[in-house]
Amino acid sequence: MEDRLQKILSAAGLCSRRQAEVYIQQGRVTVNGRPAALGDKADPQKDTIALDGKPAVQPAARTVLMLYKPRGVVTTLSDERGRPTVADLVGEAAGRVWPVGRLDMDSEGLLLLTNDGALTNALIHPRHAVEKEYLVWVTGYRPGAEQALARPMTLDGQPLHPAKVRLLGQGEGKARLSVVIHEGKNRQIRRMCAQCGLTVVRLKRIREGGLALDRTLRPGQWRPLTETEQKQLVRETFLQE
């Protein structure tokens, strides 16, 4: 299926759509060996799309990694402020991969990285409603706060799908919660908690869809997904092989 070049480059994890437009205007993008122009479309399955002479679409073999992202690491491939990135953790041994979605710098836990643009889009697209489960440690807890957190909310003027919230433990104004959401808005759970008078002191993603964080991984460690795990992701996102 044909799509706009800037969308294809963005889906491949090479750059944002806006930056892709700049690359196209600079003549750095080609389709089947010919310089591309703004507005051009291509089929990544049939056409040869290149950025600076290098193939822009994912390789035939899909790679998906499970990383236990530690706190203090940003979910980008590079950072102009010199902060540690997830690319620093996986290194070159994993090949060229990019993060699927976001996990803010102050959060930790399960982060997937892949070289597959189609899988990336399928996992983050709202229509697939892939669940993401977090363990959330909060202060300012009062009985009933978990019910308030599960009620309909809005962020940035947009309604959210109600979260699934379970109280796992509490004591002296503190609590540990399980929170399941579908969206991935910036600092979403922290902002939801703030609306309920709760302050997040630790946030850990432990599940994405049916894929749980490997308990043998320590912060900063990663491993490739097994073939069975990859097939499970494909089934959950209705991705066509």
Side-chain angles (χ1 to χ4, degrees):
M1 181 180 296
E2 286 193 339
D3 215 334
R4 290 186 179 275
L5 287 174
Q6 55 264 46
K7 184 176 179 180
I8 294 172
L9 294 174
S10 176
L14 294 173
C15 54
S16 67
R17 293 190 188 185
R18 182 171 297 178
Q19 187 62 49
E21 293 176 355
V22 175
Y23 290 159
I24 293 170
Q25 291 174 318
Q26 292 173 339
R28 296 170 60 182
V29 180
T30 59
V31 178
N32 299 325
R34 297 180 179 180
L38 279 179
D40 283 358
K41 294 184 178 182
D43 184 342
Q45 300 301 320
K46 299 178 180 179
D47 299 313
T48 301
I49 305 164
L51 173 63
D52 294 334
K54 298 179 180 180
V57 297
Q58 71 272 10
R62 177 187 294 133
T63 298
V64 189
L65 309 180
M66 175 189 295
L67 168 69
Y68 185 155
K69 189 194 89 66
R71 285 178 281 182
V73 174
V74 293
T75 308
T76 57
L77 298 179
S78 62
D79 184 69
E80 61 184 13
R81 295 166 58 182
R83 295 172 297 183
T85 70
V86 294
D88 298 327
L89 296 176
V90 299
E92 297 182 358
R96 188 185 172 281
V97 292
W98 56 81
V100 178
R102 68 181 82 189
L103 191 58
D104 70 64
M105 185 176 72
D106 299 323
S107 301
E108 62 186 284
L110 174 63
L111 180 69
L112 298 178
L113 298 98
T114 187
N115 62 353
D116 191 320
L119 179 62
T120 301
N121 285 334
L123 284 169
I124 65 178
H125 200 289
R127 75 170 178 267
H128 294 134
V130 177
E131 288 189 341
K132 302 173 183 66
E133 182 177 4
Y134 299 79
L135 295 181
V136 189
W137 288 259
V138 299
T139 58
Y141 175 79
R142 295 180 180 179
E146 64 271 22
Q147 285 90 359
L149 195 58
R151 292 177 187 139
M153 288 187 176
T154 60
L155 283 180
D156 303 322
Q158 297 181 339
L160 301 175
H161 291 286
K164 299 176 184 178
V165 185
R166 290 185 296 125
L167 178 64
L168 302 178
Q170 62 169 303
E172 299 181 0
K174 301 178 181 179
R176 184 166 65 97
L177 307 169
S178 164
V179 180
V180 178
I181 59 174
H182 293 160
E183 302 97 338
K185 293 184 179 296
N186 186 37
R187 301 177 72 84
Q188 179 174 334
I189 291 180
R190 296 176 188 276
R191 296 163 68 193
M192 290 169 59
C193 286
Q195 289 190 27
C196 298
L198 303 172
T199 300
V200 175
V201 295
R202 185 183 177 191
L203 190 150
K204 178 180 178 180
R205 183 156 66 199
I206 60 170
R207 180 173 61 85
E208 187 160 352
L211 184 65
L213 177 64
D214 188 332
R215 293 188 179 184
T216 68
L217 293 178
R218 303 272 69 82
Q221 293 182 332
W222 60 272
R223 67 164 176 82
L225 292 194
T226 65
E227 184 176 350
T228 298
E229 289 170 332
Q230 287 200 37
K231 289 181 178 179
Q232 178 180 333
L233 284 180
V234 168
R235 288 195 305 269
E236 291 178 347
T237 57
F238 307 101
L239 188 66
Q240 297 297 316
E241 291 283 49

